[in-house]
Amino acid sequence: MFDRLSSQNAKSRPVSRGGATPYHRRESFIPQANRGKQFKWLIYENNGSYNGWFDWLPIWMRVGYFSPFVIVSLMFFYSAIFWYRPQPLHFEATVYETVIAGKEVDYFLGRMPKTAAADLSIFLWGIIVVAHAKMTLGSIGAFPISFTGWSWLLLSSRAGIEFAAWAVTTHEFLALGKLLAMIGSSIRLVAITNACVVCTIWNFILFPIIYFFSIPAGEKRRSFLKFNFGFFMTNIHVLNFPMAIINTVYGSQIRLFTFSDLWVAYLVICLYSIVYYFVMDRMGMHFYPIFCPRSAFCVGSIFGVLGLYYYLFLKWNELISLRM
């Protein structure tokens, strides 16, 4: 009897021919037509390892959510860059003022001040090193977006801009000369500090980690060792530091650094961190594992670098004071 009633009720219930209602269970509440348009963190389907370069890193360091401690730290740092900007920013136009005052007494070949000749040499050498690498290595695509690449660009640009400031001021384009001198002066601190950090961290931290943990023993390790001590790598990781010292903390046109210079240095770190965490991380490029945003320990690395820059800021001024 109950079977008969059940079958009758089933027949009497209306049957929908419109498909599942919005209240049915479904795989996702995102409309199926839009699922292909969802935002994906990784730009490439590479498990966070661009060209397989970073397969040696654990998967959790390459893929996944950022540590909330890192997110808060970055928000604090970016906010501080905005709120604690010196007012006004001031950079002494040392090259311009030296030319105007006629203080330059040390000349190269009787025509060009030695400071200007040194800046021109550094600028041209910076171009030569990159051009040589491009011709001999074939591809240096990762170099411009690496912190080493930024460091090399800054020290070469600083020298080129201050040489240009001397040249145009000498030819009595005074407004342009003063502007160029101020721009070149503004990146003195970040140029020498970046070079110091790159030289130290690469040679004493990153190189040993990559050599012993990333490269398998044998021919590949020997090839990497040969590459590391080649012309290009020696310039950008060893010679970069003494090159950056010239006319920043050593020379006749040096000056003491101010908090405006320190702010510029922090601004460059801020800009690079945006590129590193929000562009390179999405591509699967993890050049600096100690700054892995998925580990809470990254907070220590971030504030350690900021503290190191402030410490070097004080030490450069001590060294400059002894020479003035």
Side-chain angles (χ1 to χ4, degrees):
M1 181 177 71
F2 292 107
D3 293 339
R4 190 180 304 165
L5 289 172
S6 299
S7 62
Q8 289 176 355
N9 292 333
K11 291 178 181 179
S12 63
R13 285 196 299 264
V15 178
S16 172
R17 300 180 182 279
T21 69
Y23 302 101
H24 281 70
R25 287 189 176 184
R26 58 188 299 173
E27 182 181 353
S28 171
F29 287 101
I30 300 174
Q32 298 298 308
N34 297 330
R35 294 198 66 188
K37 301 178 182 178
Q38 292 182 60
F39 175 79
K40 293 183 179 180
W41 182 254
L42 291 178
I43 297 174
Y44 307 111
E45 297 292 340
N46 56 11
N47 284 327
S49 178
Y50 187 81
N51 283 345
W53 294 349
F54 305 95
D55 288 348
W56 59 280
L57 286 174
I59 188 69
W60 67 266
M61 295 183 72
R62 296 184 270 126
V63 178
Y65 293 109
F66 285 16
S67 165
F69 297 102
V70 174
I71 294 174
V72 171
S73 299
L74 290 176
M75 291 175 62
F76 173 79
F77 175 44
Y78 297 158
S79 300
I81 286 291
F82 176 77
W83 288 110
Y84 293 99
R85 176 179 177 269
Q87 297 288 348
L89 288 171
H90 176 72
F91 307 100
E92 188 176 345
T94 313
V95 173
Y96 169 84
E97 292 169 1
T98 301
V99 175
I100 294 299
K103 295 179 181 178
E104 206 54 86
V105 293
D106 221 357
Y107 282 82
F108 178 72
L109 298 179
R111 301 188 63 181
M112 182 185 297
K114 288 186 177 179
T115 52
D119 281 340
L120 177 61
S121 300
I122 293 170
F123 175 67
L124 294 178
W125 186 250
I127 296 175
I128 290 170
V129 168
V130 175
H132 179 270
K134 179 64 179 177
M135 290 186 293
T136 56
L137 301 178
S139 174
I140 53 172
F143 177 70
I145 61 173
S146 68
F147 192 75
T148 301
W150 281 39
S151 170
W152 189 258
L153 174 65
L154 282 167
L155 75 88
S156 302
S157 299
R158 196 282 313 160
I161 292 171
E162 294 209 292
F163 169 77
W166 169 81
V168 298
T169 304
T170 302
H171 289 81
E172 297 185 357
F173 295 97
L174 302 184
L176 178 59
K178 186 174 183 179
L179 176 62
L180 290 173
M182 290 175 63
I183 294 173
S185 181
S186 71
I187 58 176
R188 285 186 177 191
L189 176 64
V190 69
I192 185 174
T193 306
N194 279 14
C196 178
V197 169
V198 166
C199 181
T200 303
I201 291 183
W202 172 260
N203 290 301
F204 299 103
I205 299 178
L206 291 178
F207 170 68
I209 290 175
I210 295 173
Y211 182 78
F212 289 108
F213 298 102
S214 173
I215 310 296
E219 184 60 31
K220 287 187 176 180
R221 187 172 288 182
R222 287 191 291 271
S223 297
F224 176 72
L225 193 66
K226 181 179 179 181
F227 170 72
N228 184 69
F229 290 101
F231 176 79
F232 180 58
M233 297 290 278
T234 300
N235 271 277
I236 64 175
H237 287 139
V238 180
L239 297 182
N240 63 324
F241 186 33
M243 286 171 61
I245 289 175
I246 299 173
N247 289 341
T248 55
V249 298
Y250 180 84
S252 61
Q253 296 180 0
I254 59 177
R255 65 168 179 84
L256 291 172
F257 297 124
T258 67
F259 282 105
S260 292
D261 299 289
L262 184 62
W263 184 84
V264 170
Y266 283 155
L267 177 63
V268 171
I269 297 176
C270 173
L271 294 175
Y272 189 78
S273 71
I274 292 173
V275 174
Y276 187 73
Y277 288 132
F278 302 106
V279 179
M280 294 171 63
D281 187 88
R282 295 183 60 203
M283 296 174 66
M285 292 185 173
H286 311 279
F287 291 153
Y288 314 107
I290 60 174
F291 294 100
C292 172
R294 296 168 181 86
S295 169
F297 291 106
C298 176
V299 175
S301 299
I302 292 172
F303 285 101
V305 166
L306 298 180
L308 176 61
Y309 271 62
Y310 181 73
Y311 173 79
L312 290 174
F313 162 72
L314 298 177
K315 290 302 175 181
W316 299 140
N317 275 345
E318 289 182 13
L319 182 61
I320 292 170
S321 297
L322 295 175
R323 304 195 60 84
M324 291 182 72

Coordinates of all heavy atoms in Angstrom, one line a residue, residues 171-237:
H171 N 80.1 74.3 -19.9 CA 79.7 75.0 -21.1 C 78.5 76.0 -20.9 O 77.8 76.4 -21.8 CB 79.2 74.0 -22.2 CG 80.4 73.2 -22.8 ND1 80.9 72.1 -22.2 CD2 81.1 73.4 -23.9 CE1 81.9 71.6 -22.9 NE2 82.0 72.4 -24.0
E172 N 78.4 76.4 -19.6 CA 77.5 77.5 -19.1 C 76.0 77.2 -19.3 O 75.2 78.1 -19.4 CB 77.9 78.8 -19.8 CG 79.3 79.2 -19.4 CD 79.7 80.5 -20.0 OE1 78.9 81.1 -20.7 OE2 80.8 81.0 -19.7
F173 N 75.6 75.9 -19.4 CA 74.2 75.6 -19.3 C 73.9 75.4 -17.8 O 73.7 74.3 -17.3 CB 73.9 74.4 -20.1 CG 74.1 74.5 -21.6 CD1 75.2 74.1 -22.2 CD2 73.1 75.1 -22.4 CE1 75.4 74.3 -23.6 CE2 73.2 75.3 -23.7 CZ 74.4 74.9 -24.3
L174 N 73.8 76.5 -17.1 CA 73.9 76.4 -15.6 C 72.6 75.7 -15.0 O 72.7 75.0 -14.0 CB 74.0 77.8 -15.0 CG 75.3 78.6 -15.5 CD1 75.4 79.9 -14.8 CD2 76.5 77.7 -15.3
A175 N 71.4 76.0 -15.5 CA 70.2 75.5 -14.9 C 70.2 74.0 -15.1 O 69.9 73.2 -14.1 CB 69.0 76.1 -15.6
L176 N 70.6 73.5 -16.3 CA 70.6 72.1 -16.5 C 71.7 71.4 -15.7 O 71.6 70.3 -15.2 CB 70.8 71.8 -18.0 CG 70.9 70.3 -18.5 CD1 69.7 69.6 -18.1 CD2 71.2 70.2 -20.0
G177 N 72.9 72.1 -15.7 CA 74.0 71.5 -14.9 C 73.7 71.4 -13.4 O 74.0 70.3 -12.8
K178 N 72.9 72.3 -12.9 CA 72.6 72.2 -11.4 C 71.6 71.1 -11.2 O 71.7 70.3 -10.3 CB 72.0 73.5 -11.0 CG 71.7 73.6 -9.5 CD 71.3 75.0 -9.0 CE 71.1 75.0 -7.5 NZ 70.7 76.3 -7.0
L179 N 70.6 71.0 -12.1 CA 69.6 69.9 -12.0 C 70.3 68.5 -12.1 O 70.0 67.6 -11.3 CB 68.6 70.0 -13.2 CG 67.5 68.9 -13.2 CD1 66.7 68.9 -12.0 CD2 66.6 69.1 -14.5
L180 N 71.2 68.3 -13.1 CA 71.9 67.0 -13.2 C 72.7 66.8 -12.0 O 72.8 65.6 -11.5 CB 72.7 67.1 -14.5 CG 71.9 67.0 -15.8 CD1 72.9 67.2 -17.0 CD2 71.2 65.7 -15.9
A181 N 73.4 67.8 -11.5 CA 74.2 67.6 -10.3 C 73.4 67.2 -9.1 O 73.8 66.3 -8.3 CB 75.0 68.9 -10.0
M182 N 72.2 67.7 -8.9 CA 71.3 67.3 -7.8 C 70.8 65.9 -8.0 O 70.8 65.1 -7.0 CB 70.2 68.3 -7.7 CG 70.6 69.7 -7.3 SD 69.2 70.9 -7.3 CE 68.1 70.1 -6.1
I183 N 70.5 65.5 -9.2 CA 70.0 64.1 -9.5 C 71.1 63.1 -9.2 O 70.9 62.1 -8.5 CB 69.5 64.0 -10.9 CG1 68.3 64.9 -11.1 CG2 69.2 62.5 -11.2 CD1 67.8 64.9 -12.6
G184 N 72.3 63.4 -9.7 CA 73.5 62.5 -9.5 C 73.8 62.5 -8.0 O 74.1 61.4 -7.5
S185 N 73.7 63.6 -7.3 CA 74.0 63.6 -5.9 C 73.0 62.8 -5.1 O 73.3 62.2 -4.1 CB 74.0 65.1 -5.4 OG 74.3 65.2 -4.0
S186 N 71.7 62.8 -5.5 CA 70.7 62.1 -4.8 C 70.8 60.6 -4.8 O 70.3 60.0 -3.9 CB 69.3 62.5 -5.4 OG 69.1 61.9 -6.7
I187 N 71.6 60.0 -5.7 CA 71.7 58.6 -5.7 C 73.1 58.1 -5.3 O 73.4 56.9 -5.5 CB 71.3 58.0 -7.1 CG1 72.2 58.6 -8.2 CG2 69.9 58.2 -7.4 CD1 71.9 58.0 -9.6
R188 N 73.9 59.0 -4.7 CA 75.2 58.6 -4.3 C 75.1 57.6 -3.2 O 75.8 56.5 -3.2 CB 75.9 59.8 -3.7 CG 76.5 60.8 -4.8 CD 77.4 61.8 -4.2 NE 78.0 62.7 -5.2 CZ 78.9 63.6 -4.9 NH1 79.3 63.7 -3.7 NH2 79.4 64.3 -5.9
L189 N 74.3 57.8 -2.1 CA 74.2 56.9 -1.0 C 73.6 55.5 -1.4 O 74.2 54.5 -1.1 CB 73.3 57.5 0.1 CG 73.1 56.5 1.3 CD1 74.4 56.2 2.0 CD2 72.0 57.1 2.2
V190 N 72.6 55.5 -2.2 CA 72.0 54.2 -2.6 C 72.9 53.5 -3.6 O 73.0 52.3 -3.5 CB 70.6 54.5 -3.3 CG1 70.7 55.2 -4.6 CG2 69.9 53.1 -3.4
A191 N 73.7 54.2 -4.4 CA 74.7 53.5 -5.3 C 75.7 52.8 -4.5 O 76.0 51.6 -4.8 CB 75.3 54.6 -6.2
I192 N 76.4 53.5 -3.5 CA 77.4 52.8 -2.8 C 76.9 51.8 -1.8 O 77.5 50.7 -1.7 CB 78.3 53.8 -2.0 CG1 79.5 53.1 -1.4 CG2 77.5 54.6 -1.0 CD1 80.5 54.0 -0.8
T193 N 75.7 52.0 -1.2 CA 75.2 51.0 -0.3 C 74.7 49.8 -1.0 O 75.0 48.7 -0.5 CB 74.1 51.7 0.5 OG1 74.5 52.9 1.2 CG2 73.6 50.7 1.6
N194 N 74.0 49.9 -2.1 CA 73.6 48.8 -2.9 C 74.8 47.9 -3.3 O 74.8 46.7 -3.3 CB 72.8 49.2 -4.1 CG 71.4 49.5 -3.8 OD1 71.0 49.7 -2.6 ND2 70.5 49.7 -4.8
A195 N 75.9 48.6 -3.8 CA 77.1 47.9 -4.2 C 77.7 47.1 -3.1 O 78.1 46.0 -3.3 CB 78.1 48.9 -4.8
C196 N 77.7 47.7 -1.9 CA 78.3 47.1 -0.8 C 77.5 45.8 -0.4 O 78.0 44.8 -0.1 CB 78.4 48.0 0.4 SG 79.0 47.3 2.0
V197 N 76.1 46.0 -0.4 CA 75.3 44.9 0.0 C 75.3 43.8 -1.0 O 75.4 42.6 -0.7 CB 73.8 45.4 0.1 CG1 72.8 44.2 0.2 CG2 73.7 46.3 1.3
V198 N 75.4 44.1 -2.3 CA 75.4 43.1 -3.4 C 76.8 42.3 -3.3 O 76.8 41.1 -3.3 CB 75.3 43.7 -4.8 CG1 75.8 42.7 -5.9 CG2 73.9 44.2 -5.0
C199 N 77.9 43.0 -3.1 CA 79.2 42.4 -3.0 C 79.2 41.4 -1.8 O 79.7 40.3 -1.9 CB 80.2 43.5 -2.9 SG 81.9 42.8 -2.8
T200 N 78.7 41.9 -0.7 CA 78.8 41.1 0.6 C 77.8 39.9 0.5 O 78.2 38.8 0.8 CB 78.4 42.0 1.8 OG1 79.3 43.1 1.8 CG2 78.6 41.2 3.1
I201 N 76.5 40.2 0.2 CA 75.5 39.1 0.3 C 75.8 38.0 -0.8 O 75.7 36.8 -0.5 CB 74.1 39.7 0.1 CG1 73.8 40.5 1.4 CG2 73.1 38.6 -0.1 CD1 72.4 41.1 1.4
W202 N 76.2 38.4 -2.0 CA 76.4 37.4 -3.0 C 77.6 36.6 -2.7 O 77.5 35.3 -2.7 CB 76.6 38.1 -4.4 CG 77.1 37.1 -5.4 CD1 78.3 36.8 -5.9 CD2 76.2 36.1 -6.1 NE1 78.3 35.8 -6.8 CE2 77.1 35.3 -6.9 CE3 74.9 35.8 -6.0 CZ2 76.6 34.3 -7.7 CZ3 74.4 34.8 -6.8 CH2 75.2 34.0 -7.6
N203 N 78.7 37.2 -2.4 CA 80.0 36.4 -2.2 C 80.0 35.6 -0.9 O 80.7 34.5 -0.9 CB 81.2 37.4 -2.2 CG 81.4 37.9 -3.6 OD1 81.6 37.2 -4.5 ND2 81.3 39.3 -3.7
F204 N 79.3 36.0 0.1 CA 79.4 35.4 1.4 C 78.1 34.6 1.9 O 78.2 33.9 2.8 CB 79.8 36.4 2.5 CG 81.2 37.0 2.3 CD1 81.3 38.3 1.8 CD2 82.3 36.3 2.4 CE1 82.5 38.9 1.5 CE2 83.6 36.8 2.2 CZ 83.7 38.1 1.7
I205 N 77.0 34.9 1.2 CA 75.8 34.2 1.5 C 75.2 33.4 0.3 O 75.1 32.2 0.4 CB 74.7 35.2 2.1 CG1 75.3 35.8 3.4 CG2 73.4 34.5 2.4 CD1 74.4 36.9 4.0
L206 N 74.8 34.1 -0.7 CA 74.1 33.5 -1.8 C 75.0 32.5 -2.6 O 74.5 31.4 -3.0 CB 73.5 34.6 -2.7 CG 72.3 35.4 -2.2 CD1 71.9 36.5 -3.1 CD2 71.2 34.5 -1.8
F207 N 76.2 33.0 -2.9 CA 77.0 32.1 -3.7 C 77.3 30.7 -3.0 O 77.1 29.7 -3.7 CB 78.4 32.8 -4.0 CG 79.4 31.9 -4.6 CD1 79.2 31.4 -5.9 CD2 80.5 31.5 -3.9 CE1 80.2 30.5 -6.5 CE2 81.5 30.6 -4.5 CZ 81.3 30.1 -5.7
P208 N 77.6 30.7 -1.7 CA 77.8 29.4 -1.1 C 76.5 28.6 -1.1 O 76.6 27.3 -1.3 CB 78.2 29.8 0.3 CG 78.8 31.1 0.2 CD 78.0 31.8 -0.8
I209 N 75.3 29.2 -0.9 CA 74.1 28.5 -0.8 C 73.8 27.8 -2.2 O 73.5 26.6 -2.3 CB 72.9 29.4 -0.4 CG1 73.0 29.8 1.1 CG2 71.6 28.7 -0.7 CD1 72.0 30.8 1.5
I210 N 74.0 28.6 -3.3 CA 73.7 28.1 -4.6 C 74.7 27.0 -5.0 O 74.4 26.0 -5.5 CB 73.7 29.2 -5.6 CG1 72.6 30.2 -5.4 CG2 73.7 28.7 -7.1 CD1 72.6 31.5 -6.2
Y211 N 76.0 27.3 -4.6 CA 77.0 26.3 -5.0 C 76.9 24.9 -4.3 O 77.0 23.9 -5.0 CB 78.4 26.9 -4.6 CG 79.6 26.0 -5.0 CD1 80.0 26.0 -6.3 CD2 80.2 25.3 -4.1 CE1 81.1 25.2 -6.7 CE2 81.3 24.5 -4.4 CZ 81.7 24.4 -5.8 OH 82.8 23.6 -6.1
F212 N 76.5 24.9 -3.1 CA 76.5 23.7 -2.3 C 75.1 23.0 -2.3 O 75.0 21.8 -2.1 CB 76.9 23.9 -0.9 CG 78.4 24.2 -0.7 CD1 78.9 25.5 -0.4 CD2 79.3 23.2 -0.9 CE1 80.2 25.7 -0.3 CE2 80.7 23.4 -0.8 CZ 81.1 24.7 -0.5
F213 N 74.0 23.8 -2.5 CA 72.7 23.2 -2.4 C 71.9 23.2 -3.7 O 71.0 22.4 -3.8 CB 71.9 24.0 -1.3 CG 72.5 23.9 0.1 CD1 73.2 25.0 0.6 CD2 72.3 22.8 0.8 CE1 73.8 24.9 1.8 CE2 72.9 22.7 2.1 CZ 73.6 23.7 2.6
S214 N 72.2 24.1 -4.6 CA 71.5 24.1 -5.9 C 72.1 23.4 -7.0 O 71.5 22.8 -7.9 CB 71.3 25.6 -6.3 OG 70.7 25.7 -7.5
I215 N 73.5 23.4 -7.1 CA 74.2 22.9 -8.2 C 74.7 21.5 -7.8 O 75.4 21.3 -6.8 CB 75.4 23.8 -8.6 CG1 74.9 25.2 -8.8 CG2 76.0 23.2 -9.9 CD1 73.9 25.4 -9.9
P216 N 74.4 20.4 -8.6 CA 74.9 19.1 -8.3 C 76.4 19.0 -8.5 O 76.9 19.7 -9.3 CB 74.1 18.2 -9.2 CG 73.7 19.1 -10.4 CD 73.5 20.4 -9.8
A217 N 77.0 18.2 -7.7 CA 78.5 18.0 -7.8 C 78.9 17.5 -9.1 O 78.1 16.7 -9.7 CB 79.0 17.1 -6.6
G218 N 80.0 17.9 -9.6 CA 80.5 17.4 -10.9 C 80.7 18.5 -11.9 O 81.1 19.6 -11.5
E219 N 80.4 18.2 -13.1 CA 80.7 19.1 -14.2 C 79.9 20.4 -14.1 O 80.4 21.5 -14.3 CB 80.5 18.5 -15.5 CG 80.8 19.4 -16.7 CD 82.3 19.7 -16.8 OE1 83.1 18.9 -16.3 OE2 82.6 20.8 -17.3
K220 N 78.6 20.3 -13.7 CA 77.8 21.5 -13.5 C 78.3 22.5 -12.5 O 78.3 23.7 -12.6 CB 76.4 21.1 -13.2 CG 75.6 20.5 -14.4 CD 74.2 20.3 -14.1 CE 73.4 19.8 -15.3 NZ 72.0 19.6 -15.0
R221 N 78.8 21.9 -11.4 CA 79.3 22.7 -10.3 C 80.6 23.4 -10.7 O 80.9 24.6 -10.4 CB 79.6 21.9 -9.1 CG 80.0 22.7 -7.8 CD 80.0 21.9 -6.6 NE 78.6 21.5 -6.1 CZ 78.4 20.8 -5.0 NH1 79.4 20.4 -4.3 NH2 77.1 20.5 -4.7
R222 N 81.5 22.7 -11.5 CA 82.7 23.3 -12.0 C 82.4 24.4 -13.0 O 83.1 25.5 -13.0 CB 83.6 22.2 -12.6 CG 84.3 21.3 -11.6 CD 85.3 20.4 -12.3 NE 84.8 19.5 -13.2 CZ 84.4 18.3 -12.8 NH1 84.5 17.9 -11.6 NH2 83.8 17.4 -13.7
S223 N 81.4 24.2 -13.8 CA 81.0 25.2 -14.8 C 80.5 26.5 -14.1 O 80.8 27.6 -14.5 CB 80.0 24.7 -15.8 OG 80.5 23.6 -16.5
F224 N 79.7 26.3 -13.1 CA 79.2 27.4 -12.3 C 80.3 28.2 -11.6 O 80.3 29.4 -11.6 CB 78.1 26.9 -11.3 CG 77.6 28.0 -10.4 CD1 76.7 29.0 -10.9 CD2 78.0 28.1 -9.1 CE1 76.3 30.0 -10.1 CE2 77.6 29.2 -8.3 CZ 76.7 30.1 -8.8
L225 N 81.3 27.5 -11.1 CA 82.4 28.1 -10.5 C 83.2 29.0 -11.5 O 83.6 30.1 -11.2 CB 83.3 27.1 -9.8 CG 84.3 27.6 -8.8 CD1 83.7 28.2 -7.6 CD2 85.3 26.5 -8.4
K226 N 83.4 28.4 -12.7 CA 84.1 29.1 -13.7 C 83.3 30.4 -14.1 O 83.9 31.5 -14.3 CB 84.3 28.2 -14.9 CG 85.0 28.9 -16.1 CD 85.2 27.9 -17.2 CE 86.0 28.5 -18.4 NZ 86.2 27.6 -19.5
F227 N 82.0 30.2 -14.3 CA 81.1 31.3 -14.6 C 81.1 32.4 -13.6 O 81.2 33.6 -13.9 CB 79.7 30.8 -14.9 CG 78.7 31.9 -15.0 CD1 78.6 32.7 -16.2 CD2 77.7 32.2 -14.0 CE1 77.7 33.7 -16.3 CE2 76.8 33.2 -14.1 CZ 76.8 34.0 -15.3
N228 N 81.1 32.0 -12.3 CA 81.1 33.0 -11.2 C 82.3 33.9 -11.2 O 82.2 35.0 -10.8 CB 80.9 32.3 -9.9 CG 80.7 33.3 -8.7 OD1 79.7 34.0 -8.6 ND2 81.7 33.3 -7.9
F229 N 83.5 33.3 -11.5 CA 84.7 34.1 -11.5 C 85.1 34.6 -12.9 O 86.3 34.9 -13.1 CB 85.8 33.2 -10.9 CG 85.6 33.0 -9.4 CD1 85.1 31.8 -9.0 CD2 85.9 34.0 -8.5 CE1 84.9 31.6 -7.6 CE2 85.7 33.8 -7.1 CZ 85.2 32.6 -6.7
G230 N 84.1 34.6 -13.8 CA 84.4 35.1 -15.1 C 84.3 36.7 -15.1 O 84.1 37.3 -14.1
F231 N 84.5 37.2 -16.3 CA 84.6 38.7 -16.5 C 83.4 39.4 -16.0 O 83.4 40.3 -15.2 CB 84.9 39.0 -18.0 CG 84.9 40.5 -18.3 CD1 86.0 41.2 -18.0 CD2 83.8 41.1 -18.8 CE1 86.0 42.6 -18.3 CE2 83.8 42.5 -19.1 CZ 84.9 43.2 -18.8
F232 N 82.2 38.9 -16.4 CA 80.9 39.6 -16.1 C 80.6 39.5 -14.6 O 80.4 40.6 -14.0 CB 79.8 39.0 -16.9 CG 78.5 39.6 -16.7 CD1 78.2 40.9 -16.9 CD2 77.4 38.8 -16.2 CE1 77.0 41.5 -16.7 CE2 76.1 39.4 -16.0 CZ 75.9 40.7 -16.2
M233 N 80.6 38.3 -14.0 CA 80.3 38.2 -12.6 C 81.3 38.8 -11.7 O 80.9 39.4 -10.6 CB 80.1 36.7 -12.3 CG 79.0 36.0 -13.1 SD 77.4 36.5 -12.5 CE 77.2 35.5 -11.1
T234 N 82.5 38.8 -12.1 CA 83.6 39.5 -11.2 C 83.3 41.0 -11.2 O 83.5 41.6 -10.1 CB 85.0 39.2 -11.8 OG1 85.2 37.8 -11.8 CG2 86.0 39.9 -10.9
N235 N 82.9 41.6 -12.3 CA 82.6 43.0 -12.3 C 81.4 43.4 -11.5 O 81.5 44.3 -10.7 CB 82.4 43.5 -13.8 CG 83.7 43.9 -14.4 OD1 84.2 45.0 -14.3 ND2 84.3 43.0 -15.2
I236 N 80.3 42.7 -11.7 CA 79.1 43.1 -11.0 C 79.0 42.6 -9.6 O 78.1 43.2 -8.8 CB 77.8 42.5 -11.8 CG1 77.8 41.0 -11.8 CG2 77.8 43.1 -13.2 CD1 76.5 40.4 -12.4
H237 N 79.8 41.7 -9.1 CA 79.8 41.2 -7.8 C 81.0 41.5 -6.9 O 81.0 41.3 -5.7 CB 79.5 39.7 -7.7 CG 78.1 39.3 -8.1 ND1 77.8 38.2 -8.9 CD2 76.9 39.9 -7.8 CE1 76.5 38.2 -9.0 NE2 76.0 39.2 -8.4

